[in-house]
Amino acid sequence: MQLLCQQAAEQYSSFRLPYQLDQVFLAADIADLKQFSGPDYPTVLGEGTNTIFLATQHKPVLRYLAKAISQHADTDHVLLHVEAGHNWHQLVNWTIEQQLWGLENLALIPGSVGAAPVQNIGAYGVELSDRCSYVDFYDWQRREVVRIPASECQFAYRDSIFKQQLQGRGVIVALGLTLSRQPLPVLDYPGLKELPKTASLQQIFETVIQIRQSKLPDYRQLPNCGSFFKNPVITERQFQLIRDGYPTLPGYPQADGVKVPAAWLIEQAGFKGVVVDNVGCYQKQPLVIVNYGLVDSAPLLTLIATIRSTVMRRFAIELEPEVRLLNGAGQHHVPT
């Protein structure tokens, strides 16, 4: 176990606000995790691409770094066991090299493997839950690893048991992913529909990367945490009422209603490309909030609250942040 003190938060969050982390623990394996005892456990952090520190963190932060891959194969399928510290995009790239189908639509999503099931990452018609077989979870209280089948992870749109009942109760240490040796193309999403049905694994992978790079800013050049708000799901009646006034409103039928793009709502509310006090919505994708040189979190919190209140006033839809916003005590904070 390595302990780092007084670390600059910019190194641990892709939004790069200039705060400090009092203590950062780097755990290499399960034995390191067993060194912690309650009742207070550290804040678990992946690569920080979905976390914004709103203040100096007085609560310790923990990163789990193990990243080995093992595989168990049958004729057509391969079960990968991947430790949580592995970088997600590097994993996807590795599966392409191995000619394994299943993760190509999830290319270029930033972050670690361990963070992927927390919000059930997804893109271009595929979600992690479509490929996940199990999650290995180190339980703080039991002081052991528990294997949770995917069917018990309560996966939903950008949600899981790890954001709900198990939040703060342990550390994801590994995933089981079932991939295919046979073609498994998912092309029913704008941008991929133009590809031939016989598109190769490499073609799909490269197309997803091109689409993402054309729309989203590189967080290494413009600090951001990707999509800031979840796409809300509203009732069919509410969707039709809004569409009476806004005929161009896109909608995607779901089991529990209609999903509408948060980016469309934010653009209609007038925030696309708007920058105030060094923070604003990206000009190519208003769902992405960019740090253009913030010295503290106050302008960001004001912008979040203003976007949410404006969308609520205009459309009666509440936007929920997808990004984790941590106050100084390590607690999630949603400005209103």
Side-chain angles (χ1 to χ4, degrees), residues 232 234 238 242 260 265 308 311-313 315-319:
I234 61 178
Q238 187 177 7
I242 297 174
V260 297
L265 298 171
R308 295 184 77 218
V311 169
M312 172 60 79
R313 186 169 61 251
F315 300 105
I317 294 176
E318 183 174 30
L319 290 181

Side-chain angles (χ1 to χ4, degrees), residues 129-164:
S129 55
D130 300 325
R131 309 293 181 242
C132 185
S133 296
Y134 61 80
V135 175
D136 282 356
F137 184 78
Y138 179 80
D139 188 295
W140 288 129
Q141 295 295 328
R142 296 171 61 172
R143 297 177 64 80
E144 64 180 5
V145 175
V146 178
R147 178 158 292 181
I148 306 175
S151 60
E152 297 177 15
C153 289
Q154 300 179 21
F155 286 128
Y157 171 64
R158 301 301 172 268
D159 202 7
S160 72
I161 195 172
F162 309 105
K163 278 183 82 170
Q164 304 299 332

Side-chain angles (χ1 to χ4, degrees), residues 34-70:
K34 291 186 176 181
Q35 296 182 35
F36 291 96
S37 59
D40 295 323
Y41 294 101
T43 298
V44 179
L45 182 70
E47 295 185 4
T49 54
N50 195 56
T51 297
I52 297 177
F53 299 112
L54 300 173
T56 289
Q57 297 295 293
H58 302 300
K59 184 178 180 180
V61 170
L62 169 72
R63 292 195 63 202
Y64 187 73
L65 303 181
K67 57 180 181 181
I69 301 176
S70 58

Side-chain angles (χ1 to χ4, degrees), residues 8 19 37 47 56 63 67 69 71 77 87 144 176 179 182 185-186 192 203 211 254 271 278 281 300:
Y19 292 110
S37 59
E47 295 185 4
T56 289
R63 292 195 63 202
K67 57 180 181 181
I69 301 176
Q71 51 184 311
H77 296 90
N87 175 269
E144 64 180 5
L179 306 183
Q182 302 302 318
V186 177
L192 300 181
Q203 279 180 291
I211 295 171
Q254 308 291 303
F271 291 97
N278 292 318
C281 294
L300 169 66

Side-chain angles (χ1 to χ4, degrees), residues 54 301 304 321 323-328 330-336:
L54 300 173
L301 295 174
I304 296 169
V323 172
R324 184 169 63 157
L325 302 161
L326 298 183
N327 63 19
Q331 299 167 333
H332 184 52
H333 171 72
V334 180
T336 55

Side-chain angles (χ1 to χ4, degrees), residues 20-37:
Q20 281 194 326
L21 311 183
D22 285 351
Q23 294 182 312
V24 178
F25 289 94
L26 304 180
D29 51 29
I30 303 298
D32 281 349
L33 297 181
K34 291 186 176 181
Q35 296 182 35
F36 291 96
S37 59

